[in-house]
Amino acid sequence: MKSRQDLERLKEKTLEEIRLRMASGAPRVVVGMGTCGIAAGARETLLAIMDELKKRRRTDVTISETGCVGLCAKEPLVEVTLPGQPTVVYGNVDPSKARRIVLDHLINGQPVTEWAVNVIPSPKEKEK
Amino acid sequence: MTEISLHLLDVLENSAKAGASRVRVFLGEDGEGENLILEVEDDGRGMSPDEASRALDPFFTTTPGKKVGLGLALLRSTAEAAGGSVRVRSVPGNGTVVTATFRLRSVDRPPLGDIPGTLQTFVMCHPGIELDFTWKTRKGSFHANTRQQIPPGDRGSLDAVVAFAEKLSAGMKQAGFEPDKGGFDVEIKTRS
């Protein structure tokens, strides 16, 4: 941190992060972008998700990434969370699988169970 | 990794993990047109001299709970196979500069790959980070900056990021960007 410009940039970055957190009520898709994910094709998977969402005018979905979660053999990994529902983690998601996950799960609300490698209960379910 | 753009994405993700708010990327040829240069500079937390000296070691990582850190090691492997090298300079609290060089005509130099798609994914996933990108070769040059080209309210918006990437792709194409040509293709073209 050296100058006023650095402070301005930090402020802007923090505001963006707050804005994204505020939007956490929106559907959320997270793609594994560690070295293992990138080498396995996560970029193409993410581009396919973005393309499919844009085609279907679903610009309310929060798109994010995460690092290696230790399940490298199943990369590219994609997590999908709909508000109030469990998070479904999909494994070995190539672009064509990604397009179907967008359509079936994100848009029609039906998880593609045969590709799921893990299901994480929603915070409300954990409280029960 | 089959493309240089995948290495770029990996290094960019390192910058994001280091808490950078601004990342500068230079991709292009050196003055003589002998080498391809990829440079990523961030203003993240930086590394101590000891960490920086071990950054290219595949068995060194700063991530808790992990025993390997392959990103920069793979970049070094690709660069060295193509007659080049990787240099890491870092100042704690100030940021890190990773510079990779590849002999442009080395038959082992991979193609650049989908650079616009790489930057699109990075900009989409890290809306708070300013990305400044320069492409420069003898055929032409191109510059893009997310802070200048995406209005603050639109950062993180799918439409705005895709529009940014489309401009980037068109601009780079006009400036002589050839995603599919590796060193082998350049060498063959030069001979024939």
Side-chain angles (χ1 to χ4, degrees):
Chain A
M1 197 73 60
K2 281 195 236 165
S3 64
R4 189 188 172 96
Q5 278 179 329
D6 289 339
L7 271 174
E8 286 290 333
R9 274 200 287 271
L10 182 64
K11 179 184 163 194
E12 203 167 296
K13 187 185 170 199
T14 310
L15 284 174
E16 285 291 342
E17 282 167 0
I18 290 170
R19 190 175 64 77
L20 283 177
R21 272 203 299 273
M22 297 277 281
S24 59
R28 184 179 176 83
V29 55
V30 181
V31 179
M33 279 282 186
T35 303
C36 47
I38 292 169
R43 181 190 62 190
E44 284 69 25
T45 299
L46 182 52
L47 287 171
I49 290 169
M50 289 171 73
D51 183 53
E52 203 62 29
L53 287 171
K54 189 167 189 316
K55 264 198 246 168
R56 297 177 187 282
R57 307 302 308 151
R58 284 299 303 269
T59 51
D60 59 319
V61 177
T62 303
I63 300 170
S64 169
E65 57 85 48
T66 185
C68 173
V69 293
L71 206 58
C72 308
K74 293 285 181 187
E75 294 281 2
L77 287 164
V78 174
E79 284 180 21
V80 175
T81 312
L82 298 180
Q85 291 187 23
T87 296
V88 180
V89 184
Y90 296 102
N92 300 125
V93 183
D94 61 22
S96 81
K97 283 183 177 175
R99 288 181 191 276
R100 196 179 136 198
I101 290 166
V102 169
L103 183 63
D104 287 7
H105 193 169
L106 273 165
I107 293 177
N108 294 328
Q110 298 295 321
V112 189
T113 48
E114 68 261 37
W115 298 335
V117 292
N118 194 15
V119 178
I120 304 161
S122 66
K124 276 187 182 173
E125 285 174 317
K126 278 182 186 168
E127 282 170 17
K128 285 177 191 172
Chain B
M1 304 238 186
T2 52
E3 300 172 357
I4 288 174
S5 61
L6 295 175
H7 288 293
L8 168 61
L9 183 55
D10 204 14
V11 177
L12 285 171
E13 289 299 330
N14 285 349
S15 295
K17 274 181 227 151
S21 60
R22 185 174 193 273
V23 182
R24 180 188 65 80
V25 177
F26 173 84
L27 182 60
E29 294 169 7
D30 64 4
E32 295 80 36
E34 284 291 313
N35 295 302
L36 177 74
I37 297 169
L38 169 64
E39 187 163 270
V40 179
E41 178 181 6
D42 69 49
D43 64 352
R45 70 178 70 90
M47 291 180 278
S48 67
D50 177 53
E51 286 172 336
S53 70
R54 298 166 68 197
L56 300 176
D57 178 352
F59 297 103
F60 174 75
T61 177
T62 54
T63 308
K66 282 181 70 185
K67 291 182 178 173
V68 292
L70 301 180
L72 286 174
L74 288 171
L75 174 61
R76 179 172 75 169
S77 165
T78 304
E80 288 180 353
S85 62
V86 175
R87 191 159 67 124
V88 179
R89 288 166 290 159
S90 191
V91 178
N94 262 13
T96 301
V97 186
V98 176
T99 310
T101 58
F102 311 81
R103 271 196 52 237
L104 204 59
R105 287 179 178 77
S106 164
V107 292
D108 290 316
R109 200 259 304 161
L112 287 166
D114 186 3
I115 298 287
T118 294
L119 299 179
Q120 178 181 337
T121 54
F122 182 75
V123 172
M124 187 73 223
C125 293
H126 304 284
I129 300 179
E130 176 189 354
L131 175 74
D132 187 272
F133 174 73
T134 304
W135 159 258
K136 194 174 179 188
T137 67
R138 284 164 299 163
K139 289 180 185 169
S141 63
F142 178 76
H143 175 256
N145 181 292
T146 53
R147 198 179 162 96
Q148 292 162 6
Q149 289 167 251
I150 305 178
D154 284 347
R155 288 176 199 152
S157 136
L158 182 57
D159 286 335
V161 173
V162 171
F164 172 79
E166 281 168 357
K167 276 186 198 162
L168 189 75
S169 184
M172 286 184 72
K173 199 173 172 187
Q174 221 167 21
F177 173 62
E178 294 177 314
D180 302 326
K181 285 194 175 154
F184 180 76
D185 305 288
V186 175
E187 178 65 18
I188 294 296
K189 197 177 165 187
T190 313
R191 283 186 190 175
S192 55

